[in-house]
Amino acid sequence: MIIGYNKGLKKTMRQVELVAQTDSTALILGETGAGKEIIARHIHMNSARANNSFIRVNCGAIPSDLIDSELFGHEKGSFTGATSLKKGWFERAHGGTLFLDEVGELSLAAQVRLLRVLQEGTLCRVGGEKEINVDVRIVAATHRNLEEAAKNGGFREDLWFRINVFPITLPSLRHRPEDIRELTEYFAQKASVKLGLPLTLPSQSQINYLMQYHWPGNVRELQVIIERAAILGQGSHLAIEESLIIKPELLSSVARSQLTDIVQQEASPISLDDVIRQHITKTLIYCHGRIEGPFGAAKRLDLNPNTLRSKIHKLGITKFNDV
């Protein structure tokens, strides 16, 4: 993906372009799901190592008793179950880039051994005695505050200094809504290829809709929503509104402010029945007239479908189609 230079990422991307031209260690900081791996791959693809391997390791997903074998490899017979020689992630990434995702989740013991490899550029496989040279560019990432963890003893201070050569802070998606269109189109293209469906792109009204959301799950959540929208649309459209039903508490601060303004600007008070009638009518239009089912108005309004039909009849709501 070629990441654009919209306002939300302009400063970050300047840093990314600068560090990509070097061989320095980079540390990407940001919330879970903010797109740290996308940035790490961008650094690799714009570096002198682009033609070699890019290997991602989720440090938080490796059991503590396997971390040495996974990172540094092992010799045949070095422990029960080691039936053959295995190269670790460092050796596999030789000449390329090793992306240590969630590096803050490593145990203190693993941090010691990682620091030695980073400082000396050599390693020994588990059960081996031979020093093996490795030429690897490290890009690390974390959602944790490693500086604070280092002060509290939860992360080695010397390792913190070693990987914090060039820190890059990646803003969360809710702080860069200008990137939603580009990311949505990118994920729509990926979903089209993955699902074998015709490519369909979002409309401007759908982009506006997505920009109202708070995005607690960041870029990762957007990718899931777009893939779901592609499945539901089956190549005819992106069913974004069915894939993401925005609850009031998850509106963005801007959208919430706009809603408050509308309420405050109401010229004169209206009856409770009128308020309910307007709300139900808008919900039915939003749900394309559906009453029942996972994307029906009853589900969105948290009502029994029969109760909703009764209210529709009582309030005289007629301008919708029950499908």
Side-chain angles (χ1 to χ4, degrees):
M1 176 185 181
I2 300 175
I3 301 174
Y5 284 82
N6 295 318
K7 289 186 292 184
L9 272 180
K10 186 174 289 187
K11 180 180 178 181
T12 299
M13 290 310 300
R14 280 200 299 266
Q15 295 177 313
V16 169
E17 299 300 339
L18 284 172
V19 76
Q21 298 170 25
T22 74
D23 215 28
S24 295
T25 299
L27 177 63
I28 306 170
L29 307 169
E31 294 179 6
T32 299
K36 296 187 288 293
E37 183 177 350
I38 293 175
I39 295 295
R41 288 185 181 275
H42 191 79
I43 290 173
H44 172 72
M45 293 306 299
N46 288 274
S47 73
R49 298 174 178 265
N51 293 327
N52 295 319
S53 298
F54 174 91
I55 294 181
R56 172 186 177 269
V57 179
N58 185 342
C59 298
I62 306 175
S64 58
D65 57 337
L66 294 179
I67 189 69
D68 282 357
S69 174
E70 292 296 318
L71 285 176
F72 315 124
H74 62 250
E75 299 288 347
K76 180 180 180 180
S78 56
F79 55 85
T80 302
T83 57
S84 61
L85 180 149
K86 175 185 176 181
K87 291 185 177 181
W89 294 120
F90 269 93
E91 283 188 82
R92 296 184 196 184
H94 182 76
T97 300
L98 183 62
F99 176 43
L100 299 176
D101 197 8
E102 297 303 345
V103 68
E105 305 307 312
L106 285 175
S107 67
L108 289 173
Q111 291 175 31
V112 173
R113 294 187 284 274
L114 174 61
L115 178 63
R116 179 169 179 262
V117 177
L118 295 181
Q119 288 177 333
E120 300 177 11
T122 62
L123 59 84
C124 280
R125 300 190 191 111
V126 176
E129 298 180 357
K130 179 183 177 182
E131 291 281 340
I132 300 171
N133 294 317
V134 285
D135 172 25
V136 176
R137 199 265 182 86
I138 298 296
V139 177
T142 183
H143 71 282
R144 295 180 58 192
N145 185 332
L146 292 188
E147 184 176 12
E148 191 66 28
K151 291 178 182 177
N152 297 331
F155 196 83
R156 289 189 61 92
E157 190 174 49
D158 44 7
L159 179 58
W160 156 245
F161 289 137
R162 183 67 180 78
I163 65 174
N164 194 41
V165 176
F166 198 92
I168 299 169
T169 300
L170 182 60
S172 60
L173 185 57
R174 62 182 171 275
H175 292 141
R176 47 187 174 104
E178 301 89 350
D179 295 312
I180 287 178
R181 173 179 288 280
E182 186 174 359
L183 287 167
T184 299
E185 292 179 351
Y186 170 66
F187 291 138
Q189 291 168 2
K190 287 191 67 174
S192 171
V193 173
K194 178 179 179 180
L195 302 171
L197 294 170
L199 173 62
T200 53
L201 296 176
S203 66
Q204 183 58 54
S205 64
Q206 288 179 319
I207 294 298
N208 293 340
Y209 179 76
L210 293 173
M211 290 177 71
Q212 294 181 57
Y213 188 48
H214 187 60
W215 295 109
N218 280 300
V219 175
R220 187 176 301 155
E221 184 180 11
L222 176 60
Q223 181 174 7
V224 170
I225 293 297
I226 299 308
E227 183 170 333
R228 185 187 306 154
I231 294 171
L232 292 171
Q234 285 297 296
S236 65
H237 67 290
L238 286 177
I240 288 175
E241 294 86 350
E242 294 181 10
S243 302
L244 176 65
I245 297 176
I246 304 176
K247 298 179 180 179
E249 63 270 24
L250 290 177
L251 286 171
S252 68
S253 58
V254 173
R256 194 177 297 115
S257 175
Q258 291 172 341
L259 183 60
T260 301
D261 289 343
I262 291 172
V263 173
Q264 292 175 344
Q265 291 170 11
E266 185 64 48
S268 60
I270 60 177
S271 70
L272 180 58
D273 279 352
D274 284 338
V275 173
I276 296 173
R277 183 183 296 107
Q278 289 179 12
H279 186 55
I280 291 177
T281 300
K282 289 179 180 179
T283 303
L284 287 165
I285 292 172
Y286 175 81
C287 295
H288 306 288
R290 294 184 182 89
I291 289 180
E292 297 193 43
F295 306 114
K299 176 76 171 179
R300 184 171 177 80
L301 293 168
D302 197 22
L303 292 172
N304 181 282
N306 290 330
T307 301
L308 177 56
R309 287 192 177 93
S310 176
K311 288 182 178 293
I312 290 169
H313 178 72
K314 177 183 177 182
L315 295 168
I317 299 172
T318 58
K319 294 182 179 181
F320 77 98
N321 295 314
D322 184 1
V323 295

